[in-house]
Amino acid sequence: MLRNMFRWGRTRGVTQCSCDPEWQGLYTEIDGQRQLALPRDEMATIVGYLDLTAHCAGCGAEYPKPWGLASK
C-alpha cells in the first residue's frame, strides 16, 4: 500500500509540545521559507509527497497529527 511510504504511515516516537496551551501555531519549511500549516482531518497529499513535517511555532516540537498547508 502506498500509504506506508509516507511519514504518517511509519512508526515513530511522538514529541510532546511544551507550550501552554499546546500547539498554538504550526509551520513547515519549504525551500528554506517558513509556511503556515494547519491541523486537518486527513493529511494533505502534497505533505506526504514532499515528506514535509509540521512544527509548533512556540517550542518547535514536531506535530504528530494530520495537517496541511494554509491557503495563501
Side-chain angles (χ1 to χ4, degrees):
M1 184 174 195
L2 285 177
R3 183 180 180 111
N4 290 333
M5 291 175 37
F6 299 116
R7 178 173 297 280
W8 64 88
R10 294 186 226 156
T11 307
R12 38 189 275 158
V14 175
T15 304
Q16 295 296 318
C17 177
S18 61
C19 298
D20 186 23
E22 289 185 323
W23 310 111
Q24 296 180 34
L26 298 175
Y27 75 92
T28 191
E29 288 194 21
I30 301 174
D31 294 329
Q33 300 284 328
R34 276 193 176 195
Q35 302 291 322
L36 181 62
L38 298 171
R40 297 236 172 127
D41 291 335
E42 295 181 356
M43 189 68 75
T45 303
I46 191 75
V47 170
Y49 180 74
L50 296 176
D51 199 27
L52 299 173
T53 56
H55 297 273
C56 175
C59 68
E62 187 174 329
Y63 189 66
K65 298 178 183 175
W67 62 277
L69 295 171
S71 299
K72 288 188 177 188

